[in-house]
Amino acid sequence: MRNPLAGRFTPAPVVEDVQEKAPGGKEAEAGVIRDKETNANYNDDSTDRVDDSDAISLDAQKGVQDIEAMTKVWTRNHLILAYVTIWCIFFIDALQSSMSGSLYVYVTSDFWAHSLTATTSVMSSLIGGLFKLPLAKVIDIWGRPQGFSLMLLCLVIGLIMMAACNGVETFAAAQVFYWLGYNGVTYTISVFIADTSSLKNRALMFAYASSPYLITTWCGGPLAQAFLDGPGWRWGYGTFAIVTPFVCSPLLYLFYVNYRKAAEAGLMTRAPSNRTTWESIKYYVIEFDVLGLLLITAGLALFLLSFNLYTFQTLRWKAPMIIAFIVVGGVLIIAFAFYEKYFAPKTFIPYELLMDRTVLGACILSAVLFVSFYIWDSYFSSLLQVVYGLSVTHSSYIVNIYSMGSCFWSFVVGGLIRSSGRFKWLALYFGVPLTTLGVGLMIHFRQPDVNIGYIIMCQIFIALSGGTLVICEQIAVMAATSHQYIAVVLAIESMFSSVGGAIGSTIAAAIWNGVFPVRLAEYLPAESKGEFSTIYASIVTQMSYERGTPTRDAINQAYGDAQKYMLIAATVVQVISFVSVAMWRDIKVKDFKQVKGNVI
């Protein structure tokens, strides 16, 4: 059975545009062109390499064949029930995520480590994103239900650890488990949506799956406040450790029933591997490129964490630990590149797919958007509460404008893609310009003496553009390949976004830790300079000073100075977005199905 991550990528048959062309005429000759970058054929509408037959893909891996067999035997009612369950899962995850965003600064402040807010997300972002490529292998080789169950277990373990943690170190470890599970659950469900929806409807289905954010935006803040005022933030995490598995169980049941039904119908074949235990271990270590995964994860983590932690060292950049982090991290990243190029039996990144200009452009866009987002968002909730004096509930409303607005607008984008059959124009002429405008305007408007209404306006701009770009980039990577590679290209796109998020968090933390304490020490009145350490370390202490007092004004001004530099960085990086979208082929998605069986 062919492994999509090994060897040269073989395009599936090309589906011509529905416009009739005279056989052998000039129009027929012009209808197919050669893409020199990928050595693949495309028609004049750039409809990509597609096998649109309804037969199970015999050259695909077992997990892909199994899901195609399942969609052939399940009923319309089971399909509808699956999507209802998916909505419920996304609702619970979105509610928990919204609540956690509001609790996060209080957890770190409880341990007198408020300025580690961005730092604790670096490792979790990296591992959560880089693990998706091995996870893509899991769900392609073993199956969708197995991958979903494994990620659900990691999610629950992370929630339990966060509820029981007694220090920021344990909380950071819990974040790794949580985001590994959270990203994994949402990723496997996204792949399942791609498995069960035709390409022209997929943007609408992704929009549907994200729609719970329209509700949880208004619930997350009050829920966080209720836990803070009541049993405490620990029970906020503990409650969801109980609720989440219960909500996910109906989808697991549907998997079990229909996989069994497909097996009884003879649509699933099981060939014995004839491997010993040691041979199986060796096979999966190679198949999942464990050494490559360890090299790139450790290398990026050490290198990026040095920019987060240098302010906590007496010697700052000259500290031996920081120097070691940079040097060892850089060496490991270089070692990863050499290992993947010359020694890896199976490469961690499927370079043949990545070299497709549409896939590469979408992945670059994903990374850039997350770099920019995490730069301006890392201390946004703190800014709203400290500088503008908003409650946890009201600040969560503004923070979640992006989630709510982008999810609402994604329905419009999905409808436009379905009707026009194209997506590139939406990203290039609307999404990228608007997000650049929104982030750029915040350079001026995120200051203590500016009305908060302007910040809300910028958030709306970014929300509308975000709803456009996230949907378009996902459709781009999926439209550029066939069904058997869907899990892989979605994993690549998500890996870029997670690494981008880690880089963004690193830049945010570096700017914050480099600017905020310096400006705070400069602006604090003489009577408050002795409290510098406690003010810097805790958002609760910052808010304990009355608004309008010299100390509170000094804190607010220090926030404004740090935010200015963060937003300049977030705006500059958006320039890359224009180039990345321009790389895409203008693929027409309206005229082919891509997946098999009974789908939406």
Side-chain angles (χ1 to χ4, degrees), residues 68-95:
E68 290 180 351
M70 190 195 83
T71 57
K72 282 183 171 294
V73 300
W74 71 349
T75 64
R76 193 72 176 176
N77 287 339
H78 276 186
L79 175 60
I80 294 171
L81 180 58
Y83 272 83
V84 171
T85 305
I86 285 171
W87 191 93
C88 294
I89 293 172
F90 271 93
F91 175 82
I92 290 297
D93 283 349
L95 183 62

Side-chain angles (χ1 to χ4, degrees), residues 475-544:
I475 296 299
V477 295
M478 290 185 289
T481 187
S482 59
H483 181 214
Q484 64 174 314
Y485 298 102
I486 290 296
V488 176
V489 293
L490 283 177
I492 296 173
E493 182 256 349
S494 183
M495 180 192 72
F496 271 75
S497 66
S498 293
V499 172
I503 294 173
S505 294
T506 298
I507 295 172
I511 294 174
W512 178 266
N513 293 328
V515 175
F516 181 71
V518 174
R519 298 301 170 88
L520 181 64
E522 177 185 342
Y523 296 146
L524 279 176
E527 63 270 17
S528 299
K529 288 188 180 293
E531 303 297 322
F532 168 80
S533 297
T534 56
I535 293 172
Y536 175 54
S538 173
I539 187 176
V540 177
T541 304
Q542 293 166 12
M543 293 190 299
S544 67

Side-chain angles (χ1 to χ4, degrees), residues 273-545:
S273 66
N274 296 321
R275 292 189 299 265
T276 64
T277 302
W278 170 247
E279 288 172 338
S280 292
I281 293 173
K282 181 181 178 181
Y283 171 79
Y284 287 117
V285 166
I286 293 174
E287 195 71 22
F288 295 132
D289 193 17
V290 173
L291 180 57
L293 178 64
L294 291 175
L295 286 173
I296 190 62
T297 303
L300 285 172
L302 289 173
F303 186 79
L304 294 175
L305 282 173
S306 64
F307 294 89
N308 285 252
L309 300 177
Y310 79 94
T311 57
F312 297 92
Q313 305 299 310
T314 304
L315 298 177
R316 297 173 75 84
W317 289 111
K318 296 180 181 179
M321 185 186 79
I322 299 301
I323 295 173
F325 272 28
I326 294 174
V327 173
V328 175
V331 168
L332 289 176
I333 293 171
I334 295 171
F336 167 77
F338 273 92
Y339 173 75
E340 294 291 294
K341 177 69 174 177
Y342 299 108
F343 303 108
K346 294 287 180 69
T347 57
F348 176 66
I349 299 174
Y351 296 98
E352 294 79 15
L353 289 177
L354 190 57
M355 288 303 101
D356 181 292
R357 61 190 175 97
T358 304
V359 174
L360 180 61
C363 290
I364 293 174
L365 174 65
S366 178
V368 169
L369 291 178
F370 271 73
V371 169
S372 180
F373 176 83
Y374 275 87
I375 292 175
W376 65 256
D377 186 67
S378 290
Y379 294 91
F380 189 28
S381 179
S382 301
L383 172 85
L384 294 172
Q385 294 178 57
V386 175
V387 177
Y388 293 96
L390 299 183
S391 65
V392 172
T393 298
H394 289 154
S395 63
S396 73
Y397 291 161
I398 296 178
V399 168
N400 285 310
I401 285 174
Y402 175 84
S403 297
M404 187 181 69
S406 61
C407 291
F408 168 77
W409 189 250
S410 62
F411 279 100
V412 178
V413 175
L416 289 172
I417 292 175
R418 190 182 192 282
S419 60
S420 69
R422 301 184 187 277
F423 54 87
K424 180 178 178 178
W425 65 276
L426 283 165
L428 186 60
Y429 301 121
F430 178 78
V432 175
L434 190 60
T435 194
T436 306
L437 175 66
V439 177
L441 287 175
M442 285 196 292
I443 297 172
H444 175 72
F445 292 141
R446 270 201 196 179
Q447 295 299 316
D449 56 345
V450 177
N451 189 291
I452 198 171
Y454 291 109
I455 294 180
I456 294 173
M457 176 190 71
C458 294
Q459 288 296 107
I460 293 173
F461 289 164
I462 297 171
L464 296 181
S465 59
T468 302
L469 294 174
V470 170
I471 291 291
C472 288
E473 76 186 28
Q474 290 179 327
I475 296 299
V477 295
M478 290 185 289
T481 187
S482 59
H483 181 214
Q484 64 174 314
Y485 298 102
I486 290 296
V488 176
V489 293
L490 283 177
I492 296 173
E493 182 256 349
S494 183
M495 180 192 72
F496 271 75
S497 66
S498 293
V499 172
I503 294 173
S505 294
T506 298
I507 295 172
I511 294 174
W512 178 266
N513 293 328
V515 175
F516 181 71
V518 174
R519 298 301 170 88
L520 181 64
E522 177 185 342
Y523 296 146
L524 279 176
E527 63 270 17
S528 299
K529 288 188 180 293
E531 303 297 322
F532 168 80
S533 297
T534 56
I535 293 172
Y536 175 54
S538 173
I539 187 176
V540 177
T541 304
Q542 293 166 12
M543 293 190 299
S544 67
Y545 292 94

Side-chain angles (χ1 to χ4, degrees), residues 32-185:
V32 176
I33 61 175
R34 173 71 65 179
D35 187 313
K36 296 180 181 179
E37 297 177 17
T38 60
N39 198 35
N41 290 326
Y42 306 97
N43 63 26
D44 57 349
D45 273 321
S46 296
T47 303
D48 202 16
R49 48 196 116 169
V50 181
D51 178 7
D52 218 28
S53 69
D54 207 41
I56 293 176
S57 305
L58 297 179
D59 60 339
Q61 297 188 86
K62 174 183 153 315
V64 179
Q65 291 180 339
D66 286 353
I67 194 67
E68 290 180 351
M70 190 195 83
T71 57
K72 282 183 171 294
V73 300
W74 71 349
T75 64
R76 193 72 176 176
N77 287 339
H78 276 186
L79 175 60
I80 294 171
L81 180 58
Y83 272 83
V84 171
T85 305
I86 285 171
W87 191 93
C88 294
I89 293 172
F90 271 93
F91 175 82
I92 290 297
D93 283 349
L95 183 62
Q96 195 283 323
S97 179
S98 178
M99 179 203 69
S100 181
S102 298
L103 292 179
Y104 198 62
V105 293
Y106 288 91
V107 176
T108 53
S109 290
D110 248 15
F111 304 125
W112 297 96
H114 174 247
S115 290
L116 286 176
T117 296
T119 304
T120 54
S121 67
V122 172
M123 277 295 293
S124 56
S125 294
L126 280 175
I127 295 176
L130 293 173
F131 188 77
K132 285 184 182 178
L133 271 173
L135 179 57
K137 290 258 192 150
V138 169
I139 64 177
D140 277 348
I141 295 174
W142 291 339
R144 274 48 169 170
Q146 291 83 348
F148 180 74
S149 301
L150 179 63
M151 293 299 99
L152 178 60
L153 177 63
C154 289
L155 173 61
V156 173
I157 290 174
L159 287 169
I160 293 172
M161 289 178 65
M162 284 191 283
C165 69
N166 291 313
V168 73
E169 297 84 2
T170 308
F171 183 75
Q175 286 277 298
V176 171
F177 276 96
Y178 170 74
W179 284 112
L180 182 65
Y182 178 90
N183 288 335
V185 166

